[in-house]
Amino acid sequence: MTTSSGTTTSIREATPEDAAALAGVHVRSWQAAYRDLLPGPYLDSLDPEERAALWRDRLTATDRPTVLLATEADGRVVAFSCLRAWPGEEPEASDASEASEASEASGASHASDDLDGTDGTDGTDPLDPTTTAELAALYAVPEVWGTGVGRSLLAASTEVLVTAGFRTAVLWVFTGNARGRRFYEAAGWRPDGRAVHDVTGGRELEELRYRRELFG
């Protein structure tokens, strides 16, 4: 695809060799997208090498998620998404996928790198884990926000889920991430009434669960 800035990008599935590039996008996106939500010292302390090790482990695991990359003509990774079957759990504060980018939003789906606990405020959840997927992450470097890279990556991610047979998709996004929420809402995602409070970087933030039906 050609972005609004005239740059050509393509989308492919990630391999373990992409871990360092993924980590670079992940950290830069967080530092830019969440500057007004999370403490500066915490964001500045994020370590690309440490995150690269985490992504390398994920990409070599037997139950590894599907990770899509958006790359420029020279091969540079500028955005990525992470998809998996819905684990039926709340997001764990520590990582943060606010899928968040939402590339044009940078950080849209927070959660999912690490999950723990049961989903929902009352311990129950109507979602069927056999037909529900999670957009666990979608991040992009700041220089491609608003160029269409995020929209294309989100569309490609949705297509992968449909092809895999999922009927519903969910994600988590910080309530205060207005840009990310606009990004997802423009693509048909809506809050489904679930919310959790997590502590990230020493600050308690609310996250909303968004949902989109993939058929109908």
Side-chain angles (χ1 to χ4, degrees):
M1 66 159 280
T2 301
T3 68
S4 60
S5 63
T7 301
T8 300
T9 61
S10 58
I11 296 173
R12 65 174 175 83
E13 191 164 350
T15 68
E17 289 70 30
D18 295 309
L22 275 168
V25 172
H26 203 165
V27 168
R28 288 193 60 207
S29 176
W30 265 65
Q31 291 174 333
Y34 302 143
R35 187 61 63 176
D36 294 332
L37 294 176
L38 296 172
Y42 168 75
L43 292 173
D44 294 338
S45 71
L46 295 178
D47 184 356
E49 291 188 7
E50 179 179 319
R51 195 153 297 276
L54 292 174
W55 279 110
R56 193 171 295 109
D57 288 344
R58 289 188 187 122
L59 292 170
T60 55
T62 55
D63 59 345
R64 61 186 177 275
T66 297
V67 178
L68 300 182
L69 306 179
T71 63
E72 294 187 332
D74 61 0
R76 184 172 78 105
V77 177
V78 294
F80 75 90
S81 65
C82 179
L83 317 167
R84 65 180 184 179
W86 172 242
E89 300 169 337
E90 294 178 352
E92 165 90 3
S94 74
D95 179 42
S97 158
E98 259 209 2
S100 179
E101 173 227 321
S103 182
E104 336 261 312
S106 173
S109 185
H110 181 100
S112 342
D113 285 344
D114 298 293
L115 294 174
D116 187 22
T118 57
D119 182 60
T121 57
D122 60 359
T124 62
D125 195 335
L127 295 177
D128 182 350
T130 65
T131 59
T132 303
E134 180 183 23
L135 175 59
L138 196 167
Y139 295 98
V141 294
E143 52 266 37
V144 303
W145 296 356
T147 65
V149 170
R151 290 191 297 274
S152 295
L153 185 57
L154 181 58
S157 300
T158 301
E159 184 177 346
V160 167
L161 296 179
V162 170
T163 300
F166 291 106
R167 303 191 65 83
T168 302
V170 296
L171 61 84
W172 293 94
V173 59
F174 285 133
T175 301
N177 183 4
R179 183 171 183 161
R181 293 176 63 183
R182 288 196 302 271
F183 172 78
Y184 286 113
E185 289 169 7
W189 297 74
R190 295 291 182 270
D192 72 356
R194 296 276 171 159
V196 296
H197 288 81
D198 282 322
V199 176
T200 301
R203 183 170 296 174
E204 182 174 326
L205 297 173
E206 182 182 64
E207 297 177 55
L208 302 178
R209 193 173 71 184
Y210 272 51
R211 184 188 309 186
R212 181 185 170 187
E213 300 305 320
L214 302 177
F215 292 89

